Amino acid sequence: MSERHSRETATEITGFILEETTTLGLRELSSACAVQAEHIIALVEEGVIEPVSYRRRKWQFTGASLTRARRAVALQRDLGLNIEGAALALDLIDELDRLRSRLRAIDPGS
Amino acid sequence: MKYKDYYKIMGVARDATQDEIKRAYRKLARKYHPDVSKEADAETRFKEVGEAYEVLKDPEKRAAYDQLGADWKAGQDFRPPPDWDAGFEFSGGGFTGGDASAFSDFFESLFGGRGMGGGMGGGMGAGTGGFRQARGGGFSARGEDHRAKILIDLEDAFEGASRSISLTAPSVDKEGHVRTRQRTLNVRIPKGIRPGQHIRLAGQGTPGIGGGSAGDLYLEVEFRPHRLYRVDGADLHLDLPLAPWEAALGAKVKVPTPQGAVDLTIPPNTAAGRKLRLQGRGLPGKNPGDLYATVRIEAPPADTEDEKAAYRRFADQFDFDPRSRMAGRGTEAGR
């Protein structure tokens, strides 16, 4: 088998914290979630994610919205959920994360 | 290559109906979905279940798989019989179950066209043709996103850290063969990162197919448990043991923080469980967190005669019942 297409590359990349530094437009966000823009608009209408700016032509989203949107899309696709179901699941997952984090702060053995 | 028992993975009988298979998949997908599950091997299990479902939900692929026979055991060394798929025409329904690039060698050898290359030129290829065409031919798709978890130490969040990450990504060459490509990325993790946050490296996922753009790489950051501190969002929590006299009389004690020890004034009559806040001593960032020291009172053991005498004097001096609030209705409140 030819090794033409296998190569080893080592690159130094500086990471940025998605939740804090990124802002994305509608097109970037839909491309990062691999869905049509209509899907993102539906997520906004359902209140799953909120643009920082509300003027439709200049919607800007934070990195935290990207994480949420990707999760919503994955849940819809993998579990066959509709958008309302994915929204509910996301809220419950957030709540669970908060509680788990609080629990770990109290009881390190958890 | 190891044989995979897709029925066992899905927990269904070999003669399960398509409905039963779908139900089993949904249940397992909910249980192991990486966005939902906290089980350590959730991601692996989820992929395994997705792969099994990819085969069993499709009557054509299922029939071809069934034809291998029921005598194989999971994990057994497996090599597909030379003409195992003769007479099957995979219409190439495409992958629907998410991260197809993560399917096993076993799956690839049966349905992916890999392994058909070396030494089997000529007349081969008819069986998997449809599928291979769908992957290699005139069709473009965005590459898959990659997700990886990285573990860092609490100290790394204060100073930043570098992590080396190895990624194995399949790529498709001009002849349609799938090849594995190893890449190593050295990623600088910025200081101020918090548990559960992500680092996104745009374009560092799987390369696109047929001119499609590359996927992205997402690194989810988790912290290793720390000997002293527990993390809640940006805040740190620490247990602060005090001697009974320090808590009662007040004291100045040294408290460790990740940026070095600080002097903390303990007010007189500090009760166990009280939280003392050290503002801005939590995780760094635009809005730095706080450090909370939770007071624990540790009484020394009374081993020597002098120590026992000290405790007795102590008892004589106090009119104190630590269980006074336990007394319920209808009983005397112990004093």
Side-chain angles (χ1 to χ4, degrees), chain B:
Chain B
M1 179 181 0
K2 304 284 185 236
Y3 176 80
K4 280 192 178 275
D5 188 338
Y6 289 142
Y7 290 101
K8 202 168 166 192
I9 289 168
M10 296 277 273
V12 296
R14 289 187 76 89
D15 59 356
T17 65
Q18 292 305 118
D19 277 348
E20 283 168 341
I21 288 167
K22 184 175 170 181
R23 270 201 299 277
Y25 169 72
R26 289 271 198 252
K27 219 168 148 179
L28 291 169
R30 280 198 300 274
K31 186 168 176 195
Y32 292 114
H33 198 282
D35 285 317
V36 179
S37 175
K38 286 289 161 195
E39 310 218 10
D41 60 346
E43 187 114 25
T44 314
R45 294 293 302 267
F46 183 71
K47 281 179 182 157
E48 208 174 43
V49 167
E51 177 180 323
Y53 187 54
E54 196 63 48
V55 173
L56 298 187
K57 74 166 182 202
D58 177 347
E60 286 173 353
K61 289 202 191 89
R62 186 181 175 187
Y65 175 77
D66 284 349
Q67 196 215 214
L68 294 172
D71 296 332
W72 292 94
K73 298 267 176 297
Q76 193 177 344
D77 262 335
F78 175 80
R79 197 161 259 284
D83 55 350
W84 77 276
D85 58 352
F88 285 98
E89 186 83 15
F90 298 115
S91 41
F95 295 117
T96 51
D99 194 1
S101 63
F103 286 170
S104 68
D105 287 352
F106 175 71
F107 180 94
E108 285 286 343
S109 79
L110 294 182
F111 305 106
R114 183 211 285 217
M116 293 297 188
M120 287 196 219
M124 281 306 293
T128 52
F131 194 68
R132 191 192 294 177
Q133 204 167 17
R135 283 203 129 189
F139 134 125
S140 91
R142 184 178 183 276
E144 299 281 348
D145 291 337
H146 271 279
R147 314 153 43 117
K149 273 198 177 151
I150 43 176
L151 270 178
I152 65 169
D153 291 315
L154 178 69
E155 287 79 6
D156 293 334
F158 282 85
E159 285 146 31
S162 269
R163 282 287 179 284
S164 183
I165 293 147
S166 277
L167 295 167
T168 311
S171 60
V172 183
D173 68 14
K174 286 199 195 82
E175 291 85 47
H177 300 311
V178 177
R179 298 190 194 288
T180 324
R181 212 173 68 126
Q182 271 268 350
R183 282 184 308 151
T184 305
L185 295 177
N186 290 319
V187 181
R188 181 97 201 137
I189 296 149
K191 72 177 209 179
I193 193 137
R194 284 149 202 198
Q197 286 190 324
H198 298 79
I199 292 170
R200 176 179 176 231
L201 301 167
Q204 295 292 343
T206 308
I209 298 170
S213 59
D216 301 329
L217 171 62
Y218 290 88
L219 302 176
E220 185 177 348
V221 172
E222 291 299 339
F223 284 25
R224 278 195 200 90
H226 194 277
R227 191 172 60 86
L228 291 178
Y229 311 105
R230 304 179 297 273
V231 187
D232 178 18
D235 295 332
L236 298 180
H237 292 258
L238 166 79
D239 281 337
L240 180 65
L242 294 177
W245 48 90
E246 288 173 330
L249 306 174
K252 199 171 247 191
V253 299
K254 283 234 182 291
V255 177
T257 81
Q259 295 143 298
V262 297
D263 284 321
L264 180 65
T265 303
I266 309 295
N269 286 328
T270 292
R274 182 162 169 192
K275 283 190 165 80
L276 302 166
R277 186 167 76 125
L278 289 159
Q279 202 179 354
R281 292 284 178 168
L283 294 178
K286 251 187 298 179
N287 305 302
D290 302 326
L291 189 149
Y292 291 92
T294 305
V295 169
R296 229 177 48 209
I297 295 176
E298 284 191 15
D303 291 331
T304 67
E305 265 320 303
D306 284 353
E307 286 162 358
K308 283 175 188 162
Y311 267 111
R312 276 185 214 107
R313 275 200 304 280
F314 197 68
D316 289 342
Q317 291 297 317
F318 285 89
D319 178 21
F320 177 60
D321 176 11
R323 292 167 298 282
S324 61
R325 272 187 292 178
M326 280 182 170
R329 206 174 299 182
T331 55
E332 281 297 304
R335 54 169 69 205

Side-chain angles (χ1 to χ4, degrees), chain A residues 48-61:
Chain A
V48 175
I49 51 172
E50 261 180 71
V52 191
S53 133
Y54 262 101
R55 283 176 305 156
R56 181 164 276 222
R57 285 169 125 187
K58 294 215 166 182
W59 267 2
Q60 289 285 311
F61 297 90

Side-chain angles (χ1 to χ4, degrees), chain A residues 26-100:
Chain A
L26 179 60
R27 194 189 295 172
E28 274 178 290
L29 184 60
S30 25
S31 144
C33 296
V35 294
Q36 304 285 319
E38 286 71 32
H39 199 139
I40 299 297
I41 294 170
L43 290 176
V44 172
E45 278 165 1
E46 190 60 36
V48 175
I49 51 172
E50 261 180 71
V52 191
S53 133
Y54 262 101
R55 283 176 305 156
R56 181 164 276 222
R57 285 169 125 187
K58 294 215 166 182
W59 267 2
Q60 289 285 311
F61 297 90
T62 63
S65 287
L66 173 55
T67 307
R68 261 179 94 74
R70 279 171 48 79
R71 279 186 164 178
V73 169
L75 289 169
Q76 285 183 264
R77 180 194 62 212
D78 300 332
L79 304 184
L81 300 182
N82 60 15
I83 211 156
E84 294 86 350
L88 175 65
L90 273 182
D91 286 351
L92 294 175
I93 291 168
D94 282 351
E95 180 70 14
L96 205 56
D97 282 347
R98 264 196 298 278
L99 293 174
R100 281 192 178 120

